[in-house]
């Protein structure tokens, strides 16, 4: 008995010590928010203060110290996020996660993201380089004398910030992260490749029915795409043998499929499996605008109660924890670079991107602005014909030319290094070397696909525009600064305190030859010069609107006026969100901040209203059909999280797409192209035409009824047999997933941020889901990454919110403290002169750190 008592007492002591150690670690991991910190590298003291909205305000005596300080703060709050993002763009994830992320690393190396970033950085003016250097030095200074413990991600994964070289964040990395944003928002090569793939089984007319042009427009390409590809013989023959042969060059010395060692723990296996799924989705969806969008609208004083403009913005991006944004204010007087170049004063507050030293979206003390994605076609795929007599050459308008070849070494945790050989042509990188899907479609012994992408050009100076906007004092100055903006093109809405409003598309768009009969909507023969780009659209000719009717709105719809002489794209987003915003603006003669916020809150789906009659008329014999139809009575397309009808409708459209499209293009091709691309426009056309070819062998009404039956089978298996208890919000939570712990069940409930959400892909309050996901097909993974409303009558009355919290540390109460407010479409104040501070920290120049009060 005495032995048992001593053992029990020992276990209690061990548990208490472990708990005490954990508590100490948690406390030490918190960012220092109050007191004084000595930081080597500053020229003068910098005030870093947090307000009641938890916005971080940086007040410096020089621009360089302001950029240094925001780098320091980003490192304080988002260290793991910076490390993960750096590894993504460098193609170095596999050093940490093994072969699970190998395909992502290959893609980044194939695109040469960091090689391009270094060349673009070299072309920047000196003052911009010095700004990025100051930001990088701020991040390095944090890590040199780190005043807090590293977040748990580093300890669990055994990672050191910056890897073996300690390169935590270099100036070129900020340019690289701008390229990654362009990759996320500025792509359509995935859509072009999908058209090539589908054209194997559909003739060109059917192809345009499946992937229709923008409403009211004809297909941009006049070429018979299906006939062209058949004539060229681009497709691989069936059978595994030809696939293996075709993959020979593109996958030199690749690692095997992910197969954890027997002694690998459950945690490692779950992380690997989760990262594999994430990497596959990233590579599959790279180069596509499907499911990506944003809203902005601006009203002149003639349409507001105050007589001054109002502006609203909500960019739609993939949800993550921590969020992509970090809200901060930056103030500094004018200064100069080391060569004497003047640097303007800055006084900006709004959304920063960890990785960049300026406010991306927000306001100065005189002008406010918001972005949506324009989505022009700035990526063209080219079929490069391989010389049958010499596989090192490809065909050009002037004969055969050698591929440029670059060798990359990818380090893979627990396995041998992967030696990757990537090629490029006169158009750009050969994607077929780094995207496995090409081997499933193309005969890679005869053709490969190369990418021409504007963002990869050496003269891309998008980061320069970021510095200029933070100094703007009027709409004119803002758009003058945005003349430097390159990629991805953004539809910018702006307003100033003088009462001016304006929309303009800022960014680089190629001009195409009048003889180009494909116009970049699908891969073109790379040896035919008529498909080459012929220059660039001048900035003064990009779409623009000065708000003569009293308001302007963009929601990724076509922004070119009738008769606009230049081709931008035909792959605009369907105009439902824009049409709904227009309805709500016109419904109120004079708006105020509250009515602007009400538009943000709207969850009426005009797209749902269009297809809904077909569902309500479905005659299903399913046992739950009558109960389901009862839920649909009175449903008018409001995608309310608390209702069953939206869930029934969404499941029906999902099953309908599968039922009518898979028999025509095949299961494999459908799986490869479906998900964020929901084929909604195709379904509308099929049902409204009552198209017997697509619906065969049944009628379209029978297909609709059968889809309802399959949908009810799926829903009752998950949510029970009483449709009255089903809830859209249960199936459709807004999930801000953590990488990599969001796929580890024991950790996800701590690291992920999940709240029930309204909406669908076509509501103003957007809730984009990926119906192709095997797990959680209706989960909202792509939504308003922030919401902001700016009142030009008093910019201190501006408001914002986003979906997680400012801290990237999971232990912090500031990690998720905005999530409920965001879900309820609430706001926080966005001020540059708040009435009080909740935390006050002074960074002082020092060669050694000083004491500080660690507070949270």
């Amino acid at each position: 008995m005495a032995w048992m008592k001593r053992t029990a007492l020992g276990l209690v002591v061990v548990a208490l010590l472990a708990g005490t150690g954990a508590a100490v670690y948690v406390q030490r991991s918190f960012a220092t928010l109050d007191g004084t910190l000595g930081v080597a590298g500053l020229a003068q003291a910098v005030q870093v203060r947090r307000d009641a909205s938890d916005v971080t305000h940086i007040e410096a005596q020089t621009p360089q110290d302001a950029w240094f300080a925001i780098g320091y703060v980003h490192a304080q709050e988002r260290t793991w996020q910076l490390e993960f993002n750096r590894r993504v763009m460098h193609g170095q994830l596999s050093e940490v996660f093994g072969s699970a992320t190998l395909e992502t690393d290959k893609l980044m190396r194939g695109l040469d993201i960091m090689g391009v970033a270094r060349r673009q950085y070299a072309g920047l003016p000196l003052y911009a380089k010095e700004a990025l250097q100051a930001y990088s030095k701020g991040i390095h200074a944090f890590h040199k004398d780190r005043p807090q413990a590293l977040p748990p991600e580093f300890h669990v994964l055994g990672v050191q910030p910056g890897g073996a070289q300690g390169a935590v964040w270099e100036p070129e990395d900020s340019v690289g992260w701008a390229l990654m944003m362009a990759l996320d928002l500025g792509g359509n090569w995935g859509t072009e490749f999908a058209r090539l793939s589908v054209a194997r089984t559909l003739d060109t007319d059917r192809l345009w029915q499946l992937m229709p042009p923008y409403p009211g427009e004809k297909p941009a390409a006049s070429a018979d795409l299906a006939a062209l590809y058949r004539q060229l013989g681009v497709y691989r023959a069936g059978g595994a043998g030809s696939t293996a042969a075709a993959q020979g060059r593109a996958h030199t010395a690749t690692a095997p499929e992910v197969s954890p060692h027997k002694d690998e723990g459950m945690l490692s296996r779950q992380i690997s499996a989760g990262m594999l799924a994430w990497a596959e989705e990233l590579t599959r969806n790279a180069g596509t605008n499907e499911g990506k969008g944003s809203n902005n609208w601006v009203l002149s004083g003639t349409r507001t109660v105050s007589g001054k403009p109002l502006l609203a913005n909500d960019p739609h991006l993939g949800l993550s924890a921590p969020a992509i944004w970090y809200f901060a204010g930056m103030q500094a007087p004018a200064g100069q670079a080391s060569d004497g170049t003047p640097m303007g004063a800055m006084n900006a507050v709004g959304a920063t991107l960890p990785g960049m030293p300026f406010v991306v979206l927000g306001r100065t003390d005189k002008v406010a602005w918001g972005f949506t994605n324009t989505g022009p076609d700035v990526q063209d795929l080219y079929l490069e014909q391989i010389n049958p007599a010499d596989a090192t050459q490809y065909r050009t308008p002037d004969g055969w030319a050698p591929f440029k070849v670059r060798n990359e070494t990818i380090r893979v945790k627990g396995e041998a290094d992967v030696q990757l050989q990537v090629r490029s042509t006169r158009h750009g990188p050969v994607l077929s070397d780094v995207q496995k899907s090409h081997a499933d479609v193309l005969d890679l012994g005869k053709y490969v696909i190369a990418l021409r992408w504007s963002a990869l050009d050496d003269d891309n100076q998008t980061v320069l525009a970021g510095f200029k906007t933070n100094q703007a004092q009027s709409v004119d100055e803002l758009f003058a600064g945005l003349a430097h903006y390159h990629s991805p093109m953004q539809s910018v809405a702006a307003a100033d305190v003088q009462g001016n409003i304006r929309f303009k598309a800022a960014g680089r768009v190629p001009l195409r030859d009048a003889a180009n009969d494909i116009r970049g909507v699908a891969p073109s023969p790379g040896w035919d010069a008529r498909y080459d780009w012929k220059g660039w659209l001048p900035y003064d000719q990009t779409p623009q609107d000065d708000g003569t009717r009293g308001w302007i709105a963009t929601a990724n719809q076509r922004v070119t006026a009738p008769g606009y002489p230049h081709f931008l794209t035909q792959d605009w987003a369907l105009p439902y969100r824009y049409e709904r915003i227009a309805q709500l603006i016109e419904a109120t003669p004079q708006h105020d901040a509250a009515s602007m916020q009400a538009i943000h809150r709207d969850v009426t789906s005009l797209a749902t209203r269009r297809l809904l009659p077909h569902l309500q008329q479905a005659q299903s014999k399913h046992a739950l059909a009558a109960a389901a139809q009862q839920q649909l009575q009175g449903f008018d397309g409001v995608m309310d999280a608390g209702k069953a009808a939206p869930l029934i409708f969404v499941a029906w459209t999902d099953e309908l797409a599968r039922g009518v499209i898979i028999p025509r293009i095949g299961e494999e091709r459908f799986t490869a192209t479906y998900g964020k691309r929901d084929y909604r426009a195709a379904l509308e056309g099929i049902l409204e035409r009552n198209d017997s070819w697509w619906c065969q062998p049944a009628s379209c009404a029978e297909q609709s009824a059968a889809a309802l039956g399959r949908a009810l089978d799926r829903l009752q298996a998950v949510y029970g047999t009483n449709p009255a208890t089903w809830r859209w919000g249960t199936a459709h939570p807004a999930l801000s997933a953590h990488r990599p712990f969001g796929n580890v069940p024991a950790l996800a409930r701590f690291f992920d941020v999940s709240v029930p959400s309204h909406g669908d892909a076509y509501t103003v309050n957007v809730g984009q889901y990926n119906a192709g996901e095997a797990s959680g097909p209706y989960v909202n993974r792509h939504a308003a990454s922030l919401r902001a409303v700016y009142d030009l009558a008093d910019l201190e009355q501006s408001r914002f919110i986003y979906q997680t919290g400012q801290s990237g540390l999971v232990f912090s109460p500031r990690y998720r403290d905005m999530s409920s407010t965001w879900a309820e479409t609430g706001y926080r104040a966005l001020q540059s002169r708040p009435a009080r501070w909740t935390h006050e920290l002074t960074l002082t120049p020092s060669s050694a750190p000083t004491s500080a009060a660690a507070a949270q």
Side-chain angles (χ1 to χ4, degrees):
M1 289 295 294
W3 176 85
M4 292 178 64
K5 289 179 179 179
R6 287 195 300 270
T7 301
L9 180 60
L11 291 173
V12 170
V13 170
V14 169
L16 287 172
L17 288 173
T20 301
V24 170
Y25 163 70
V26 168
Q27 185 64 32
R28 287 190 60 239
S29 67
F30 287 163
T32 301
L33 306 184
D34 294 283
T36 301
L37 281 176
V39 181
L42 282 173
Q44 300 181 60
V46 177
Q47 298 298 318
V48 180
R49 298 175 288 197
R50 272 85 173 177
D51 66 18
S53 296
D54 203 20
V55 175
T56 301
H57 295 260
I58 292 169
E59 185 175 353
Q61 301 307 306
T62 67
Q64 290 92 334
D65 277 353
W67 295 318
F68 181 103
I70 190 64
Y72 191 94
V73 167
H74 282 165
Q76 270 192 317
E77 301 269 42
R78 302 291 183 88
T79 300
W80 172 249
Q81 184 178 35
L82 287 169
E83 175 69 15
F84 186 85
N85 291 348
R86 185 190 62 80
R87 287 186 174 274
V88 171
M89 63 186 173
H90 280 258
Q92 294 177 349
L93 286 171
S94 298
E95 292 182 13
V96 177
F97 301 108
S99 55
T101 53
L102 185 55
E103 295 306 315
T104 296
D105 284 349
K106 286 181 181 178
L107 178 60
M108 298 305 144
R109 301 293 185 94
L111 293 172
D112 196 23
I113 292 294
M114 289 314 301
V116 171
R118 293 182 187 101
R119 293 193 294 274
Q120 293 178 355
Y121 173 79
L124 290 173
L126 180 63
Y127 74 88
K129 289 181 182 177
E130 291 185 351
L132 298 181
Q133 290 165 10
Y135 179 74
S136 171
K137 289 176 181 177
I139 297 175
H140 275 270
F142 169 80
H143 286 284
K144 182 178 182 295
D145 295 306
R146 193 180 303 125
Q148 64 198 65
L150 285 171
E153 292 93 335
F154 290 94
H155 299 290
V156 173
L157 298 170
V159 175
Q160 285 297 315
Q165 304 302 316
V168 288
W169 195 269
E170 303 309 307
E172 298 89 343
D173 289 333
S174 293
V175 180
W177 197 240
L179 285 172
M180 292 301 295
M181 293 304 297
L183 178 62
D184 185 45
L185 295 173
N188 77 326
W189 92 59
T191 301
E192 293 183 31
F193 187 78
R195 290 191 176 107
L196 170 70
S197 177
V198 169
R200 183 172 190 175
T201 57
L202 297 179
D203 63 36
T204 300
D205 287 341
R206 302 292 185 196
L207 170 64
W208 289 121
Q209 291 175 355
L210 181 64
M211 304 177 75
Y214 191 73
E217 295 184 359
K218 296 179 179 179
S222 58
D224 187 336
L225 298 175
L228 171 66
Y229 298 143
R230 285 195 300 269
Q231 179 183 355
L232 292 176
V234 302
Y235 299 112
R236 75 171 181 90
S242 61
T243 301
Q247 286 180 318
R249 183 184 184 91
H251 296 86
T252 303
T254 57
E257 293 296 320
V258 177
S259 52
H261 300 294
K262 291 182 180 179
D263 60 348
E264 187 176 7
M266 177 65 73
L267 176 63
S268 295
R269 290 196 297 272
Q270 291 175 338
I271 290 173
S272 294
M275 290 306 297
L276 176 63
W278 172 83
E280 288 179 342
E281 181 183 4
L282 187 150
T283 53
R284 182 174 63 249
N285 291 319
T288 175
N289 281 333
E290 298 286 348
K292 299 173 183 177
S294 305
N295 306 315
N296 64 18
W297 62 97
V298 59
L299 281 61
S300 74
T302 62
R303 296 299 305 270
T304 69
V305 173
S306 71
K308 289 288 188 178
L310 289 164
L311 186 149
N313 187 205
D314 54 299
H316 307 158
L317 299 169
L319 301 180
S320 63
I324 191 172
W325 303 110
Y326 182 85
F327 267 72
M330 299 178 66
Q331 296 182 40
Q336 63 181 25
S338 62
D339 65 351
T341 302
M343 293 177 169
M346 72 177 82
N347 183 11
V349 62
T352 71
L353 286 169
M356 294 185 188
F358 45 77
V359 172
V360 178
L361 298 171
R363 67 175 184 86
T364 67
D365 53 346
K366 297 292 178 62
V367 60
W369 67 93
F371 287 2
T372 67
N373 204 34
T374 311
D377 188 348
V378 296
Q379 293 179 341
D380 278 1
L381 295 183
Y382 289 91
L383 291 161
E384 307 287 21
Q385 186 175 8
I386 297 173
N387 187 344
D390 184 354
T392 67
Q393 297 181 331
Y394 69 101
R395 186 180 174 188
T396 77
D398 302 316
W400 301 105
F403 288 101
K404 292 181 180 179
V405 179
R406 184 165 40 84
N407 294 306
E408 295 278 345
T409 299
I410 303 176
R411 294 176 180 170
V412 183
K413 181 181 179 181
E415 300 181 19
D417 292 351
V418 170
Q419 304 301 322
L420 177 68
Q421 189 177 85
V422 289
R423 296 169 287 180
S424 61
T425 72
R426 68 192 187 92
H427 295 114
V430 173
L431 289 181
S432 302
D433 287 347
V434 292
Q435 289 209 292
K436 293 192 298 184
S437 59
H438 290 203
D440 298 329
V441 176
L442 294 172
D443 183 343
L444 293 182
K446 295 168 63 178
Y447 297 95
V448 292
I449 285 181
L451 170 69
R452 177 73 174 100
W453 179 23
S454 61
L456 298 180
D457 286 6
D458 290 351
D459 65 348
N460 182 348
Q461 296 189 342
T462 296
V463 294
L464 185 56
F467 297 118
K468 296 288 189 180
T469 59
N470 285 203
Q471 302 166 9
Q473 295 295 295
S474 68
V475 163
D476 286 341
E477 287 187 14
L478 181 83
F479 284 105
L482 287 168
H484 298 280
Y485 198 95
H486 190 294
S487 301
M489 177 176 260
Q490 297 291 287
S491 295
V492 184
D496 62 28
V497 295
Q498 288 81 28
N500 302 298
I501 69 170
R502 186 178 304 162
F503 147 75
K504 188 170 180 62
R508 188 72 67 87
V509 180
L511 297 172
R512 294 176 172 84
D513 197 306
N516 185 337
D517 57 357
I518 297 178
R519 301 179 88 180
V521 303
S524 303
W527 56 90
D528 191 332
R530 64 180 161 149
Y531 298 116
D532 291 344
W533 293 353
K534 304 302 180 183
W536 303 101
L537 180 63
Y539 183 59
D540 62 5
Q541 295 181 35
T542 65
Q544 180 172 323
D545 184 344
D546 291 321
T548 54
R549 65 174 169 175
W551 62 271
I552 310 164
T554 76
N556 316 109
Q557 85 286 0
R558 184 181 65 191
V559 295
T560 55
Y564 183 73
H566 304 292
F567 174 74
L568 267 60
T569 184
Q570 76 161 28
D571 294 321
W572 310 101
L574 291 173
Y576 294 117
R577 281 182 289 110
Y578 168 78
E579 291 170 352
R580 182 60 178 167
I581 291 168
Q583 288 178 358
L584 295 171
I585 290 174
E586 291 292 1
T588 301
Q590 302 288 313
H591 286 266
D592 57 16
S595 65
M596 298 285 276
Q597 294 169 10
I599 298 175
H600 265 157
R601 198 172 294 119
D602 189 79
V603 290
T604 297
S605 173
L606 300 184
T608 295
R609 286 182 175 179
R610 183 166 177 179
L611 281 184
L612 183 59
H614 299 279
L615 171 59
Q616 292 172 327
Q617 294 163 14
Q619 301 296 313
S620 172
K621 297 180 180 179
H622 194 281
L624 298 183
Q629 288 291 359
Q630 185 175 4
Q631 296 302 311
L632 293 169
Q633 290 179 8
F635 177 51
D636 61 352
V638 175
M639 307 300 281
D640 187 330
K643 303 294 185 182
L647 177 58
I648 297 168
F649 174 85
V650 165
W652 169 75
T653 59
D654 183 11
E655 287 298 333
L656 183 62
R658 297 172 186 275
V660 300
I661 297 174
I662 289 176
R664 306 279 78 82
I665 68 173
E667 179 88 37
E668 183 178 344
R669 197 163 286 108
F670 179 84
T671 300
T673 59
Y674 182 66
K676 290 185 177 180
R677 178 185 297 105
D678 62 4
Y679 289 119
R680 179 61 62 89
L683 292 180
E684 292 169 352
I686 290 168
L687 293 183
E688 289 167 6
R689 291 191 307 269
N690 194 24
D691 195 315
S692 59
W693 187 87
W694 284 97
C695 292
Q696 63 179 302
S699 68
C700 289
E702 290 168 337
Q703 285 281 15
S704 178
L708 176 57
R710 294 192 302 274
L712 294 176
D713 282 340
R714 287 175 60 184
L715 295 178
Q716 73 172 349
V718 178
Y719 304 110
T721 58
N722 182 3
T725 64
W726 298 348
R727 296 293 179 265
W728 176 226
T730 304
H732 186 65
L735 176 63
S736 298
H738 180 275
R739 297 288 174 261
F741 296 155
N743 290 286
V744 180
L747 299 178
R749 65 193 184 100
F750 300 106
F751 285 86
D752 286 354
V753 178
S754 181
V755 290
S757 67
H758 306 283
D760 68 4
Y762 304 101
T763 53
V764 178
N765 186 0
V766 76
Q768 172 73 36
Y769 55 88
N770 183 345
E773 286 278 351
S775 176
Y778 308 136
V779 171
N780 178 3
R781 306 174 192 272
H782 200 106
S785 60
L786 69 83
R787 299 185 188 97
V789 175
Y790 306 96
D791 187 344
L792 278 299
D794 181 0
L795 279 167
E796 291 296 282
Q797 297 302 314
S798 300
R799 296 290 184 266
F800 84 101
I801 199 68
Y802 64 95
Q803 89 284 359
T804 57
Q806 290 277 76
S807 176
L809 179 67
V810 68
F811 305 125
S812 172
R814 300 165 52 243
Y815 182 76
R816 64 182 75 234
D817 62 332
M818 297 189 200
S819 59
S820 297
T821 305
W822 175 86
E824 297 163 2
T825 329
Y827 299 83
R828 292 183 176 186
L830 182 61
Q831 299 175 314
S832 60
R833 301 182 302 277
R836 67 182 183 92
W837 304 112
T838 58
H839 297 284
E840 299 186 60
L841 174 68
T842 301
L843 303 180
T844 62
S846 174
S847 58
T850 58
S851 63
Q856 188 74 1

